[in-house]
Amino acid sequence: MRRAIREVRPDLPTGTTLAFHEAIDNNHFDLIEAFEDSDYFAYTYYPHDQGFRYDGDTGDFGRVLEQMIEVSGETPFHIVENGWATAASLGSSEANQADYLDNTFQSLTEHRDSFARHIWYNLHDGRPENCTTAALSFFPPDFDPSSVGKCWNYFED
C-alpha cells in the first residue's frame, strides 16, 4: 500500500490503525510487524475482557504502553482511541473510569517522549438513546441485534 501511495503522493505519510487490545488478546503482534514499513502506527486500546467486561486492573495501561513502545520499534505511534466504560452491567463504574484516567495519564506523562500523540475517546458517556445507533454503526445495515443474544446488550452498554 505504501508504495502505491508514494507513486501518486510521495510526501503523504501512511499508517495503519490496529486494535492493540486485540493483538494482546489473540497474540497477534505479527499484524504490527506486517505494517512495519508504515510511517506511523495508530492504535486503539480498550481494556475489556470477554463479554466487554471492564472489571480488570485500572492501573494496567502503563504495562500496555510499554508493550506498544516495544513492538513499535522505531516507527512512531499514535494512540487514537482509548477508553474505559462505566456501565455497571460491564462490571464498571464512574469511579473505575476515573481511576483508569488517573493511571493512564500518569503513564503517558512518564513516557511522553515515547509516542507521538494520545487521543482520549469521549471524556463522557454517550446518551443511552444514542448508544444503539453508535453500536449499530459497527455492523451492516441489515444486522439484527437479537441474532447475538445477550452479547448485544453488553456491546451496546
Side-chain angles (χ1 to χ4, degrees):
M1 173 182 78
R2 183 178 187 206
R3 285 186 293 257
I5 292 171
R6 296 279 187 206
E7 287 179 21
V8 178
R9 291 280 313 271
D11 59 331
L12 184 66
T14 61
T16 301
T17 302
L18 301 161
F20 205 83
H21 50 281
E22 294 293 332
I24 292 170
D25 291 347
N26 298 300
N27 196 27
H28 271 294
F29 293 105
D30 55 324
L31 289 174
I32 297 166
E33 294 168 11
F35 295 100
E36 63 190 0
D37 68 337
S38 296
D39 293 306
Y40 64 90
F41 293 120
Y43 297 132
T44 65
Y45 180 67
Y46 293 99
H48 57 74
D49 291 329
Q50 294 294 326
F52 304 106
R53 300 286 301 172
Y54 279 84
D55 52 5
D57 184 353
T58 59
D60 204 29
F61 183 77
R63 180 188 58 77
V64 172
L65 181 57
E66 289 173 2
Q67 280 183 293
M68 290 177 179
I69 294 166
E70 182 181 335
V71 300
S72 299
E74 296 297 315
T75 305
F77 67 92
H78 307 260
I79 304 165
V80 296
E81 287 185 31
N82 182 7
W84 187 278
T86 61
S89 62
L90 303 178
S92 193
S93 65
E94 287 185 9
N96 287 355
Q97 185 183 64
D99 195 45
Y100 181 76
L101 260 169
D102 288 342
N103 289 319
T104 296
F105 283 115
Q106 178 64 40
S107 296
L108 292 168
T109 300
E110 291 169 6
H111 296 286
R112 180 57 195 108
D113 295 331
S114 301
F115 61 95
R117 103 186 354 97
H118 174 273
I119 300 169
W120 185 264
Y121 186 75
N122 281 352
L123 283 173
H124 59 84
D125 289 333
R127 293 185 181 132
E129 62 270 19
N130 295 335
C131 291
T132 299
T133 302
L136 284 170
S137 72
F138 286 86
F139 299 94
D142 60 345
F143 174 74
D144 176 13
S146 66
S147 68
V148 293
K150 284 176 45 176
C151 182
W152 175 255
N153 296 334
Y154 298 132
F155 183 67
E156 192 175 31
D157 287 350

